[in-house]
Amino acid sequence: MKYSLNHLFFAILLGASTLSITACNDLLEPTPVQQLADDKAITDAGSARSATIGVYDRVQAYYQLNWPVLGFLPGDNVRFNGTLNQFLQIDQNQLSADNVLITEAWTQMYQAVNGANNVLAALPAINDPLLPAAEKNQLLGEAYFLRALVYFDLGRGWGGVPLVLTPTRTKENGAGQGRSTLAQTYDQVLADLTQAESLLPETATRNRAVKAAARALRARLHLYRQQWSEAETYATQVIGSSNYRLVTPYRAISTAPFLSQESVLELTFSNSDANSMWNNWFPSALGGQFNFQPLPTAITLLNDPTTGGSRAALLASTTINGSSVTYGNLYSRSAQRDDPSYVLRLAEQYLIRAEARAKQNKLNDALNDLNAVRARAGVEPSKAATAEALLLAIENERRVEFAFEADRWFDLVRTGRAGTVLGVTDQRRWLFPIPFNDLVADRSLEQNPGY
């Protein structure tokens, strides 16, 4: 499936509609691009379907490269093996407000928000016999879910952000919005997920949102908010569904035709709608740029049978100038270019529930969940006997299980361990900077401290 939308899309709020802004006047007078009159946008079944796919397309855009990079590169599994300053800043935890990747990610995310807002604003009024009530509810549920996903990611990346809940159709829309608190941002995520769950179907579709995706994201949200009982409850609902199971071998999650039973939500690419992430991981001898290189500590963990097990398949090796070179192999479809972006997996739900149970002193149950993930990887059971030891074991398991996904940095920030583990002791650096362009375009925005 290709997430595309050719005839409808509005620029995001706050004037960051492009990255190639060359004049001060452009910053101060942003104009949405590809704008259509309201009465020609979402008016019937076909345009409603296209608009919803368009929101997936914008989510797909930031999950292809920018969001995974912001999740793994500041951590301790991957280093940047190049000279581009925007990536070096992320690798070295020294971001600036004019970082191109940060600006692009923020832009793509608010484009997705605006696409969802357009669907939510227009869809209820559509009266088309070709759009039955069940499908209308599904499209509405998908829009709520996708807006929740984006605002959750914005919140964990930047803290409280502007909560724009209506379409941005002129440069005045959204101006003066200001930033909500992180609590308010997460409250909005919860409200959207509640709506989404009530509207989405119980099917096992894996590359579009269904009820299980809403529950899985809600479990993650509650984990981040340290609401342990709720995190356990929602993870249990996903784990208990017969539609999902941990698959073996581990490599099966990322092997064509993809969409394994472990996948709760992944974003689908194709050769015509390509995912070029492999190019950043493969060495030049294999046609790539080798921008992202697994660190020696991560290579050791993944190759060690007592920690990595079958997850050693995340690595591959080749010989260059007589020397063996190890590279990341999660994204490996260099010819087909159809590797998916992984958003929600069942393994995460087990580890969310393990952590939530450990925090509630349900140690045996937590250990069972941890060991379910380890067993799938062919790793011996953990024998962690105390809450402290178990939480550390879960943290380490997440590091290996999601080694090249968008997790490690955010895990260490949410648990307050980025200073201890990574040496990033300035907690102001635990959040990303608001892009400079947006600060100029909207004077009501306040920069995160330290930038």
Side-chain angles (χ1 to χ4, degrees), residues 146-435:
L146 292 170
R147 188 170 72 178
L149 174 63
V150 179
Y151 272 130
F152 175 76
D153 288 341
L154 282 163
R156 61 177 173 162
W158 283 269
V161 296
L163 290 175
V164 181
L165 305 178
T166 57
T168 300
R169 296 190 171 115
T170 71
K171 61 179 179 287
E172 288 79 17
N173 294 156
Q177 180 82 26
R179 296 179 63 176
S180 299
T181 65
L182 179 59
Q184 290 167 335
T185 301
Y186 282 165
D187 284 345
Q188 183 60 50
V189 174
L190 178 58
D192 282 351
L193 288 177
T194 301
Q195 287 275 34
E197 186 181 354
S198 71
L199 294 164
L200 290 168
E202 282 276 14
T203 59
T205 306
R206 302 180 195 281
N207 57 359
R208 294 184 68 162
V210 295
K211 282 190 190 297
R215 292 164 182 158
L217 183 56
R218 185 161 174 178
R220 186 191 287 174
L221 171 67
H222 290 307
L223 184 78
Y224 272 68
R225 302 191 87 172
Q226 300 184 7
Q227 297 166 336
W228 313 121
S229 177
E230 293 91 339
E232 179 185 7
T233 295
Y234 280 89
T236 296
Q237 289 186 41
V238 182
I239 293 167
S241 170
S242 61
N243 291 328
Y244 307 96
R245 66 177 180 85
L246 296 175
V247 297
T248 55
Y250 177 84
R251 185 63 181 170
I253 66 170
S254 55
T255 301
F258 307 115
L259 302 173
S260 76
Q261 281 192 280
E262 181 167 334
S263 180
V264 181
L265 180 66
E266 62 187 56
L267 301 174
T268 301
F269 290 82
S270 66
N271 193 265
S272 60
D273 181 38
N275 184 351
S276 60
M277 181 62 103
W278 70 270
N279 183 56
N280 289 288
W281 290 93
F282 275 32
S284 58
L286 300 177
Q289 299 185 46
F290 208 21
N291 288 325
F292 307 134
Q293 185 175 19
L295 283 164
T297 51
I299 293 173
T300 298
L301 286 170
L302 287 166
N303 280 331
D304 187 337
T306 67
T307 54
S310 61
R311 291 172 295 205
L314 287 171
L315 302 172
S317 298
T318 190
T319 300
I320 300 178
N321 298 325
S323 299
S324 179
V325 174
T326 299
Y327 60 94
N329 195 42
L330 175 62
Y331 307 95
S332 61
R333 303 270 288 177
S334 58
Q336 300 83 359
R337 304 184 302 167
D338 60 352
D339 292 293
S341 292
Y342 304 98
V343 182
L344 296 165
R345 289 205 282 119
L346 187 65
E348 184 196 10
Q349 298 300 303
Y350 273 101
L351 294 176
I352 285 173
R353 191 169 72 173
E355 187 173 338
R357 285 173 163 176
K359 288 288 189 178
Q360 297 174 87
N361 209 36
K362 301 177 180 179
L363 302 188
N364 287 335
D365 290 339
L367 188 61
N368 288 338
D369 283 336
L370 169 62
N371 284 333
V373 176
R374 292 173 66 85
R376 184 276 294 276
V379 175
E380 289 296 315
S382 170
K383 296 180 174 59
T386 66
E388 182 179 10
L390 188 50
L391 288 168
L392 181 59
I394 293 166
E395 177 185 299
N396 291 334
E397 197 68 24
R398 290 183 67 100
R399 178 185 180 183
V400 177
E401 178 70 25
F402 312 114
F404 305 143
E405 298 175 52
D407 285 85
R408 180 61 171 170
W409 168 251
F410 299 114
D411 279 343
L412 294 175
V413 168
R414 71 174 174 81
T415 58
R417 294 206 0 106
T420 301
V421 175
L422 303 176
V424 186
T425 55
D426 184 353
Q427 294 190 19
R428 297 176 301 176
R429 293 282 166 174
W430 292 7
L431 293 177
F432 305 142
I434 303 293

Side-chain angles (χ1 to χ4, degrees), residues 11 15 17 26 29-33 35 171:
S17 59
D26 293 332
E29 296 295 333
T31 302
V33 296
Q35 179 173 319
K171 61 179 179 287

